[in-house]
Amino acid sequence: MLAARPSIVPPPSPAPADPAQDWTPLGVPWPAAARREGEDILVGGVGLAQLAARFATPLYVLDEAEVRERCRAYRRALPQAEVAYAAKAFLCGAVAEWVEQEGLGLDVCSGGELELAVTCGFPPERIILHGNAKSPEELASAVRLGVGRIVVDSFPEIARLAVLATADRPQEVLVRVVPGISAGHHASVRTGVEEQKFGFSLDSGDAADAVARILRQPHLRLVGLHCHLGSQIPDIAPYLAAVDRLVPVMAAVRDRHGVVLEELDLGGGHAVPYRAGEPAFNVEEFGTLVTAAVARQCARHRLPVPRLTIEPGRAVIGPAGVALYRVLTVKHTPSGLTFVAVDGGMSDNPRPALYGSRYTAALVGRESEAPLAEARVVGRHCEAGDVLVPSVGLPADVRPGDLLAVPAAGAYHLSMASGYNMVGRPPLIAVRDGAARILMRRETLDDFRRRDIGR
C-alpha cells in the first residue's frame, strides 16, 4: 500500500540509492511506489519484465494501490464535495469497484459506461450521465436505472427527458453551460469556450433559455449548473474564473425564477505529468482555493453555498498505468535519427497522433552500459503518424527483443483503443502487494471473426 500523500503533485526527485538496498525509486511520471531493482522495474511489487514474460506484449499494467490512494487524496482535499470519477478516462468492472469502495461517485458519458457500471454493482444514484449527443435510448436507460443526475447538453434532451420522467420517477438534472474560459493543453480538448459542441452558451442566452424550459417541466428537477473547461489543466486559476462566472448565474436563476440551485459542478481536466519535470495539478490547493472562492461569491450574492462536485478521471488513473512493448525493429536513418518500432502503437494509444501528446520510455529487462542516444519510438501500424514517443533517450544498443515501458499510461489508452489493422487490444493486468491478476484479456483474431457475420 502506498504511503499517504497530501496532494496529487509530483513527488520530489528520487533520493540517491541507499548502498544498503539494491533498488532505486523512480519518481515522476512513474507510479509513486515504482522502483528499479537491478535490470527490472517493479510496480505494485511485481517486475514488469516478469509480467511481459508471463502475459506477452503489448501489455497494460495498473497499480491498484495507486488508484485507490489518488481517490483518497481527492476525498481528503475536498471532504465536503462530491468527487465523481470520470469513467471516460478508463472503465472496467474492477476500476468501478475500486472507486466505489473509496467513496467516489461516477461520471459516465454513454449508455455502455452506464450499463457496465450498474451491472457491476455501482449504485446508480451516485452516477452522473453527461454527453453532448445522448441517444433517446440512453436517456431512457438512465431514467429507468435511476441515475442521480443527468447533465442536459441540448434543447432536444429537455423535451426527451420531460417525456421520460414521471411523477413517480422524477429526474434531477444539471445544465451544462459554456463559461467562456479557455483552458487545456490542445484546442481539441478546450471545452469551456464558444464554438465547440458542448453545453449552452451564457453569452447567447441559450443557457438562460434552457433553465427556463427545464423549470417548466413538472417532472424535471433542476439542481445545479455544470461546466467542463478542458483537459490537462495544471493551474487552478481557470477554475476560480469559472466560479466567478457561474455563481452570479445561479443568483440570476434565483432572482428570475425563485429557485435556489443546490449544486455547482466544475468538471475535471486536472493535469498529470507524462514526463519528468512537467507540472501536475495540486488538488489540495484546489480544494482550499475553490471552496473559499465559492463561499466568497455566494456571500456576495446572498446565496447558500451549493454542494461542489468535481469529476477527475486522468488524475485518478493516469499515473497508475504503465504500457509494455516489445521492440520489433530498429532503423537508423542517414540523418542520424533512430526509429525503434514496437509491437503496439496508435491502436492502443492514439493520443500522440490526436493531440501531439508526449511520453517517455525506459528499457526494462536487461542492463546496458551503452550511452543514451535519441530515439523515436514508433508503432507497427501503416501510418507515418503512428508515433508513441517522438523523442527519448534510450541505450544506443537498443535492439529487437528489448522490452520498453511507457509510464503514465492509465488514462485514454485502452479507453480509446481501436481495432486498426486488426492488431487486437492489449490485456490489462492489475498489480498490488506483489500479486498480479488479469482485469481484461487480450483481444484475439477470434474476437474479430465473431463480429464478421456477413459471409
Side-chain angles (χ1 to χ4, degrees):
M1 182 65 70
L2 300 180
R5 288 179 289 165
S7 58
I8 299 176
V9 296
S13 298
D18 185 339
Q21 66 186 28
D22 59 356
W23 57 269
T24 306
L26 289 177
V28 171
W30 299 87
R35 65 182 191 264
R36 183 172 284 280
E37 192 168 298
E39 62 187 21
D40 206 354
I41 290 175
L42 273 64
V43 175
V46 184
L48 295 181
Q50 171 191 338
L51 291 171
R54 178 180 172 187
F55 297 105
T57 57
L59 177 68
Y60 279 83
V61 180
L62 190 63
D63 186 337
E64 177 183 346
E66 174 88 355
V67 174
R68 288 182 179 274
E69 171 54 28
R70 287 177 169 270
C71 291
R72 293 168 190 165
Y74 270 97
R75 296 300 306 131
R76 289 193 299 269
L78 294 141
Q80 304 304 317
E82 178 178 6
V83 182
Y85 170 68
K88 66 179 181 176
F90 175 72
L91 186 67
C92 66
V95 169
E97 180 181 84
W98 299 345
V99 299
E100 193 274 331
Q101 290 175 349
E102 297 301 335
L104 273 61
L106 195 66
D107 165 48
V108 302
C109 57
S110 74
E113 292 176 355
L114 173 60
E115 293 281 351
L116 174 65
V118 173
T119 56
C120 289
F122 203 98
E125 65 273 13
R126 288 168 54 188
I127 295 177
I128 303 169
L129 171 67
H130 81 246
N132 71 295
K134 309 176 197 69
S135 71
E137 293 77 16
E138 287 172 324
L139 292 173
S141 178
V143 172
R144 173 179 55 83
L145 292 171
V147 301
R149 280 97 73 217
I150 296 175
V151 180
V152 174
D153 197 277
S154 67
F155 291 118
E157 287 183 4
I158 300 173
R160 290 167 184 154
L161 284 172
V163 173
L164 292 167
T166 64
D168 295 335
R169 195 186 288 270
Q171 181 60 57
E172 292 187 351
V173 299
L174 302 166
V175 169
R176 179 162 178 171
V177 301
V178 180
I181 297 168
S182 179
H185 74 293
H186 190 278
S188 296
V189 297
R190 293 175 192 143
T191 54
V193 295
E194 301 287 346
E195 307 301 326
Q196 47 78 39
K197 67 178 185 176
F198 292 102
F200 294 96
S201 169
L202 289 175
D203 293 341
S204 72
D206 282 353
D209 190 7
V211 166
R213 294 191 192 192
I214 291 170
L215 292 176
R216 288 197 293 267
Q217 301 301 326
H219 303 139
L220 298 182
R221 182 167 176 262
L222 179 64
V223 296
L225 301 181
H226 179 288
C227 75
H228 182 72
L229 303 180
S231 294
Q232 271 296 89
I233 303 170
D235 304 318
I236 298 168
Y239 297 96
L240 299 177
V243 170
D244 291 345
R245 188 82 200 272
L246 295 186
V247 172
V249 176
M250 300 175 81
V253 172
R254 176 203 56 196
D255 296 341
R256 186 172 303 170
H257 302 286
V259 174
V260 176
L261 300 180
E262 306 164 6
E263 182 175 353
L264 178 59
D265 190 329
L266 295 179
H270 306 164
V272 302
Y274 284 89
R275 296 178 296 173
E278 291 184 347
F281 193 80
N282 189 324
V283 66
E284 188 175 63
E285 185 180 11
F286 172 86
T288 299
L289 295 181
V290 169
T291 299
V294 172
R296 184 170 57 250
Q297 280 286 352
C298 287
R300 181 177 301 167
H301 292 278
R302 296 181 176 84
L303 281 171
V305 176
R307 177 181 62 184
L308 182 65
T309 300
I310 59 168
E311 301 166 354
R314 182 199 319 265
V316 169
I317 204 164
V322 177
L324 293 175
Y325 302 101
R326 192 70 68 180
V327 176
L328 299 179
T329 64
V330 178
K331 292 181 179 180
H332 304 282
T333 69
S335 66
L337 182 61
T338 297
F339 284 92
V340 178
V342 297
D343 54 359
M346 64 192 303
S347 63
D348 66 82
N349 180 13
R351 295 187 68 251
L354 286 173
Y355 311 131
S357 301
R358 308 282 289 207
Y359 290 81
T360 190
L363 180 68
V364 180
R366 75 172 176 92
E367 294 180 320
S368 172
E369 297 182 357
L372 295 182
E374 184 180 1
R376 179 171 297 172
V377 181
V378 298
R380 60 171 296 171
H381 298 285
C382 294
E383 300 285 345
D386 181 21
V387 177
L388 289 173
V389 186
S391 178
V392 64
L394 292 175
D397 64 351
V398 63
R399 54 184 182 255
D402 278 343
L403 184 65
L404 297 185
V406 176
Y412 301 109
H413 285 224
L414 285 179
S415 65
M416 299 177 76
S418 72
Y420 189 42
N421 292 155
M422 293 190 177
V423 168
R425 289 170 289 186
L428 176 67
I429 309 300
V431 291
R432 182 176 181 179
D433 299 330
R437 63 188 177 107
I438 299 177
L439 299 187
M440 302 184 76
R441 66 169 175 81
R442 188 180 302 279
E443 190 174 34
T444 67
L445 181 57
D446 284 342
D447 294 315
F448 290 107
R449 287 195 185 111
R450 290 190 190 100
R451 296 188 65 223
D452 187 356
I453 59 174
R455 289 183 298 168

